[in-house]
Amino acid sequence: MPAVDAPPVTSDAILRFLRVTLHVGFAILLAVAITRVLTSHLDRGGRYVFLALALVLAVVYLLGTVAEKRFSTGALVKDPLRYAYVWLALVTALWAVLMVWSVEFSWMVFPLFFLHLHLLPRWAGIVAVVIMTAGVIVAQWLATGAAVPPLPVVLGPVFGVAFAIVTSKAYRLLYVEGENQRGAADELRRTRTELAATQHEAGVLAERARLAREIHDTLAQGFSSIILVSRAAVRSLESGDMDSTKESIVMIEATSSENLAEARNFVRGLTPPALAGTSLVESLRRLCEKTQLEAAARGVNLVCTFRLDGEPAELPQPYHVTLLRAAQASLANVWLHAKAGVAVVSLAYLGTEVALDVYDDGRGFDPESLANAVATRSDGSGFGLKSLAERVSAQNGTLEIESAPGEGTVVAVRLPLGGQMTDEKGGTA
């Protein structure tokens, strides 16, 4: 037959075995003593009194052990240990009375040794077992009727108490180890609970940051576009230019529809609408056309073109989203802040990496000064570059911004390929 792995033996298992052995031994010795006394030449009235006293001892002992067991399993709320001294004194007193009545009860002293050594302080337990040993020796000596205590009468209890002291020491060591193990287990559970709470909080914060990036790069940019185009429509309407007003209204409707689609996909957790059913190259080309139309609707002459270098390869979906959002955020900054006339979006597949560059010939800025200014804003604006940096970092990529006042701006995103490449079916290449 195949060998079956036995469960590990713990200190708790050893302690339970020793406690059960102690209680069973006490019960057997009590039953033997009762039997021997009942079969002796004791009168009927004396037997009844003796039996009643022995039953009281059994009930008191059983109540204490059951209470301790129920408390250890959690079924009893109040710790019975505070009544341990009273219980031990009552058990010892009942045993002493029975031993005085009949020497047959003297052998029950051995399980009582362990109770005293375990429940009482070390010095008090040793004193108690020495006194009990002396009482047993005297009781057995008187039962023999000899003038001098026989050697076996002395050696038996003495060896018994020595063995009890040594065994009790080992039991106490196991008990301390068991308590330490329980404490360590409780600490481990608390640590796991705290770790789970920390991980949950980190997950919540990460999800909030992700949603903030998505909202900024889609809905917020869309709303900004709607506001600017609507202002242009108002100006066109005031000047009587109905054709420009119509173009602005059409642009507002298109942008609103895209934002609505984005909002619905946030709820469903699906692919960005700009990537649904189309490639990244086509999405970027459409984005450039849309940016140029929005600028024209606001009366801004912006030429936005798209360039592709290299053979397009199938990229993981997170790469698609990151590159598209990078282009959206960069172009939003172009027509919001740069006052540029030309913007170029370049996508290049370079073998070991995919590169996205967004160039504009606008007024430029000092990247360091902008970072300091954004850090002090309290209106929630200026989140675009930080959001973009977090997106790129999440894909182990790099983000570089080259700009200077009056010299335009280049936003360069690099994402590594190799292990991140996927085939056309979405599997890892």
Side-chain angles (χ1 to χ4, degrees):
M1 294 181 63
V4 178
D5 294 336
V9 179
T10 63
S11 58
D12 282 343
I14 298 175
L15 291 173
R16 283 195 299 270
F17 175 77
L18 292 176
R19 283 196 294 267
V20 171
T21 303
L22 174 66
H23 300 328
V24 170
F26 183 90
I28 292 175
L29 291 174
L30 179 60
V32 170
I34 292 175
T35 302
R36 290 178 62 87
V37 173
L38 290 179
T39 56
S40 65
H41 300 290
L42 192 65
D43 61 275
R44 180 175 298 180
R47 289 180 182 179
Y48 288 153
V49 174
F50 163 79
L51 183 60
L53 193 60
L55 291 177
V56 171
L57 173 60
V59 170
V60 171
Y61 188 90
L62 183 62
L63 288 176
T65 56
V66 169
E68 187 273 338
K69 176 64 176 178
R70 285 172 56 82
F71 178 75
S72 64
T73 58
L76 189 64
V77 177
K78 294 183 178 180
D79 189 357
L81 187 61
R82 55 182 174 176
Y83 304 111
Y85 292 166
V86 176
W87 174 78
L88 184 61
L90 186 56
V91 169
T92 305
L94 291 171
W95 164 78
V97 172
L98 289 171
M99 187 184 65
V100 171
W101 197 321
S102 174
V103 73
E104 301 295 342
F105 285 88
S106 61
W107 301 111
M108 292 181 60
V109 74
F110 293 110
L112 293 180
F113 281 162
F114 294 103
L115 291 179
H116 284 77
L117 291 172
H118 176 65
L119 295 177
L120 297 178
R122 189 66 176 167
W123 65 271
I126 294 176
V127 171
V129 297
V130 169
I131 294 175
M132 294 166 66
T133 301
V136 170
I137 293 174
V138 171
Q140 292 188 353
W141 173 31
L142 294 177
T144 61
V148 179
L151 187 60
V153 170
V154 177
L155 292 181
V158 170
F159 285 153
V161 72
F163 176 77
I165 292 175
V166 173
T167 306
S168 175
K169 178 63 176 179
Y171 181 90
R172 188 178 292 271
L173 293 175
L174 285 174
Y175 180 80
V176 172
E177 181 183 355
E179 290 298 315
N180 291 336
Q181 290 179 352
R182 278 190 289 273
D186 292 340
E187 182 64 26
L188 178 60
R189 283 190 290 270
R190 285 193 296 270
T191 302
R192 286 179 176 176
T193 302
E194 293 174 357
L195 179 60
T198 302
Q199 290 176 339
H200 175 72
E201 183 178 359
V204 170
L205 294 176
E207 182 64 11
R208 288 178 179 175
R210 186 189 71 83
L211 290 176
R213 291 193 298 268
E214 293 293 335
I215 292 172
H216 176 273
D217 294 343
T218 56
L219 300 181
Q221 301 291 2
F223 290 147
S224 297
S225 177
I226 290 172
I227 292 172
L228 294 175
V229 174
S230 63
R231 290 173 180 172
V234 170
R235 289 193 296 269
S236 299
L237 185 61
E238 291 176 347
S239 63
D241 188 353
M242 300 307 297
D243 291 337
S244 297
T245 302
K246 183 178 179 180
E247 291 178 1
S248 297
I249 293 176
V250 171
M251 182 60 62
I252 291 172
E253 180 182 3
T255 304
S256 300
S257 298
E258 291 179 3
N259 274 20
L260 179 60
E262 291 283 1
R264 288 173 174 171
N265 278 277
F266 285 160
V267 176
R268 292 193 297 266
L270 301 179
T271 301
L275 289 174
T278 185
S279 66
L280 175 63
V281 172
E282 185 62 26
S283 298
L284 292 175
R285 184 175 286 114
R286 290 179 182 177
L287 176 62
C288 289
E289 294 173 356
K290 175 175 175 291
T291 301
Q292 185 168 316
L293 290 175
E294 287 180 345
R298 292 185 291 109
V300 177
N301 185 20
L302 173 65
V303 178
C304 186
T305 58
F306 172 73
R307 295 177 181 175
L308 174 64
D309 295 326
E311 187 67 22
E314 188 68 22
L315 300 176
Q317 185 63 22
Y319 276 29
H320 283 221
V321 176
T322 299
L323 294 173
L324 177 61
R325 297 302 190 220
Q328 287 174 330
S330 300
L331 289 178
N333 288 330
V334 169
W335 58 260
L336 279 175
H337 308 296
K339 299 186 181 300
V342 175
V344 180
V345 176
S346 301
L347 180 65
Y349 293 87
L350 305 177
T352 59
E353 64 181 11
V354 57
L356 176 73
D357 295 326
V358 181
Y359 161 77
D360 71 81
D361 63 350
R363 59 184 180 181
F365 61 93
D366 182 356
E368 184 175 352
S369 299
L370 179 64
N372 295 333
V374 168
T376 60
R377 292 179 185 177
S378 59
D379 60 354
S381 63
F383 186 70
L385 293 180
K386 178 182 178 183
S387 170
L388 180 55
E390 291 176 351
R391 284 184 182 277
V392 174
S393 176
Q395 304 303 324
N396 298 318
T398 60
L399 170 66
E400 294 182 2
I401 300 176
E402 298 179 4
S403 184
E407 298 185 7
T409 302
V410 177
V411 177
V413 176
R414 302 289 184 269
L415 299 181
L417 295 179
Q420 295 291 343
M421 288 291 290
T422 60
D423 57 26
E424 294 181 356
K425 296 182 180 180
T428 302

